[in-house]
Amino acid sequence: MVRRVSDGMSDFFGWFPSTTFENNTCIFASNFANTCAFDTKDGLVIFDVPIRQFGKKTFDEVRKVTNNPVKYIIFSHGHFDHAFGYVPFLEEIKRNGWDKPEVIAHENCVRRFDKYEILDEYHDWINKQQFSSVFKGGNDSVVSAHEILKPTIILKNNESSYSFKLGNITFEINHDIGETDDSLWLWVPEKKTICTGDLMVSSFPNVGNPFKVQRYPKDWAIAMEKMRDNNAKYLVPGHGRLIEGRENVRDALSITAEAMHFVHDEVVKKLNEGKWFEQIYHEMLEIYPERFKKHKMLRESYGSYRFAIHAVYRLYHGWYDSGNPTDLFPSKTVDIARELLKLNSENTYLEHANRLFSKGKLQLALHILDIIIKGTVKQDVNALIKALELKLKILKIKTRAEPAFIASNILDNGANEIKKRLNLLQKSI
Ligand SMILES: [Zn+2]
C-alpha cells in the first residue's frame, strides 16, 4: 500500500482537495494523479482514472457533485497512475444497469497494455525502485497487467485527433508524443479547459527517465505550443494543482515548450560538432539558463534537466557513447577493480576516498569506493565494511540534497541495499 509521499513532493503528487469549476460542471479530483470529470446534461466524460488504489477515493469525490452516468472514459496514456482506477465506476454502471461507457485511447496505449502483459514482474521491480520512497516496504503491486480496461474507441497513428459531442459540449481529443508515444490530450472549448495528462506536470518534464524507454522532447515542445494556441482558461495537468487563468496557463505551456526546445536544439548542435556524451552532458549543465532554473513550472521536483540531456542524445545516438574503443567490449567492472587493487591496497583507496569525502568531492569518492566494493576478495571483510559505510553515508547526503524525485529514489534505494548488505556482513563476522 502507499504509505507516504517523500518530502517536498506534495505539489507534484497532488493530494489536494477535490474542486469544481465552471459552475460545478468540471470536477477536478487529485489523488496521486489527476482526474477531470465533465458533467454534461447527457452524462459524464472522465479524463483519466487514478492509480487503482485511489479509484474509490476519486469516484467518491466525483459522486459528491453529480449522479449522472459515465458515458466516456478517456486515457491520457496507459501508465498505471492514469488508467487503472476505473473499477468503482464500472461497478456502478453494472449496479445501475447503465450502458457501458466508451473508452478512448491511442493504439499505442493498447500496445502498451500488451507490453505490460509480458513484462509484469519487470515493471513491478522497476516501479519499486522508481517509487521506493512512496511504496516503502509495501508488497502490494503498483499495477497488475491483468486488470486492464479495454479501449473501445482507438485513435490510430495516422489519426491525430478525434472529437465528439455530449450534452452539447464538444470534446476534442488530440494525439501528440512526449512523455509517451500513446499520449492524448483533451480540449473542451465550451469549458475553456485543457487536460494534458503527463504532458504537463508541476515539474520539469519527466523526459529522459533513467528507467524508461525513449521519450520525445522536441515533439513535447510542439504539443505544448498546440495546446497554447487554444488560449485555455483552465489547465488540468497530469499531476499537480489545477492551473487557472489564461496568463498562467499560457506561461506554463510556453516555458515548458521553451525548455524542451532548448535541451533538444543544444544537444543536436553539439552532436553536429562531433562531441561525445560526456562532453555534451557537462557543457549542457554549464549553459542551462537561469530563467529555466528559477521558473516554478520547471522545478526539478520529479523530472530533471540532467535526464533530459540523455533523452535527446539517446534519440539520435546509439549506445556507444564514449568514443573510446576500450568501452566497445569492456571487461567486467569486478575484474578491473581487482587489477586496481593489485596496485594499491584497499586501505590506500579507503584513505583516498575519505580525503575526497572531507573535501566535499562526494561523486569522486564514490568511484574510488567502488574499486574496493567491487574488487575486494571475501576475506577482506573489514575493508569492505568500511567502504560500504562511507558509501552509505555519501548516498544519504546525496539523497537529502537531491531535488528530483526519481533521482533521489535511486540514491535512496542504493543506500537501502547497502544497509541490507552491511547487516549480512556484520552477522558474518
Ligand atoms: Zn503520471
Side-chain angles (χ1 to χ4, degrees), residues 33 77 79 81-82 179 198 238-239:
H77 60 302
H79 279 168
D81 51 338
H82 297 265
E179 189 196 47
D198 280 354
H239 299 262

Side-chain angles (χ1 to χ4, degrees), residues 39-304:
D39 192 14
T40 80
K41 66 182 174 54
D42 293 334
L44 292 182
V45 174
I46 293 189
F47 188 85
D48 275 359
V49 286
I51 181 172
R52 68 186 165 93
Q53 287 88 339
F54 296 131
K56 179 70 167 65
K57 190 161 181 288
T58 291
F59 172 84
D60 289 344
E61 286 168 5
V62 171
R63 284 302 172 221
K64 259 183 224 159
V65 183
T66 172
N67 287 316
N68 279 337
V70 176
K71 297 290 185 180
Y72 289 87
I73 295 175
I74 304 164
F75 291 155
S76 68
H77 60 302
H79 279 168
F80 71 90
D81 51 338
H82 297 265
F84 286 77
Y86 60 85
V87 172
F89 292 102
L90 282 210
E91 280 174 349
E92 179 193 48
I93 287 164
K94 231 186 247 174
R95 254 192 333 267
N96 294 329
W98 293 339
D99 291 339
K100 279 190 177 162
E102 297 287 2
V103 178
I104 304 177
H106 189 264
E107 66 175 336
N108 289 338
C109 180
V110 179
R111 285 198 193 108
R112 172 185 304 286
F113 290 157
D114 292 342
K115 187 173 82 171
Y116 285 172
E117 288 276 352
I118 60 165
L119 288 166
D120 201 13
E121 292 88 355
Y122 163 76
H123 283 128
D124 207 29
W125 176 67
I126 289 289
N127 285 330
K128 278 178 179 155
Q129 294 176 67
Q130 181 172 334
F131 300 107
S132 66
S133 61
V134 181
F135 296 94
K136 213 160 213 165
N139 292 318
D140 200 11
S141 284
V142 176
V143 60
S144 168
H146 314 292
E147 294 175 14
I148 281 159
L149 178 61
K150 283 202 171 118
T152 58
I153 296 173
I154 298 169
L155 274 80
K156 305 281 183 204
N157 250 338
N158 56 3
E159 202 180 351
S160 60
S161 62
Y162 175 84
S163 58
F164 64 91
K165 276 197 173 239
L166 187 72
N168 290 331
I169 305 294
T170 318
F171 294 86
E172 290 179 19
I173 298 164
N174 299 278
H175 167 59
D176 274 292
I177 60 175
E179 189 196 47
T180 58
D181 63 1
D182 60 346
S183 306
L184 297 181
W185 57 274
L186 174 68
W187 166 233
V188 188
E190 292 87 350
K191 304 293 174 191
K192 304 169 277 293
T193 299
I194 282 183
C195 299
T196 65
D198 280 354
L199 287 167
M200 174 64 75
V201 294
S202 288
S203 160
F204 193 95
N206 187 12
V207 62
N209 179 322
F211 287 113
K212 298 294 165 75
V213 295
Q214 182 65 55
R215 295 177 168 184
Y216 311 95
K218 190 73 175 175
D219 302 274
W220 202 315
I222 292 165
M224 297 285 103
E225 287 162 350
K226 279 196 219 167
M227 289 180 196
R228 192 180 57 195
D229 291 345
N230 288 313
N231 203 19
K233 191 175 166 191
Y234 305 97
L235 186 149
V236 177
H239 299 262
R241 289 173 195 280
L242 175 71
I243 301 174
E244 295 180 74
R246 287 200 161 87
E247 272 311 301
N248 291 334
V249 170
R250 169 167 284 274
D251 181 47
L253 292 167
S254 294
I255 197 76
T256 308
E258 276 177 53
M260 292 290 94
H261 278 306
F262 173 83
V263 70
H264 175 272
D265 296 351
E266 290 299 324
V267 171
V268 166
K269 207 191 286 173
K270 291 175 193 305
L271 279 168
N272 282 324
E273 288 165 2
K275 292 171 179 168
W276 293 98
F277 182 74
E278 185 181 305
Q279 188 180 0
I280 292 177
Y281 180 79
H282 289 280
E283 286 181 10
M284 288 296 289
L285 295 186
E286 274 167 29
I287 62 167
Y288 189 45
E290 283 299 314
R291 70 196 161 90
F292 293 155
K293 274 186 211 166
K294 286 180 183 154
H295 200 286
K296 70 174 177 2
M297 289 309 296
L298 296 177
R299 277 176 305 195
E300 290 202 325
S301 51
Y302 192 71
S304 166

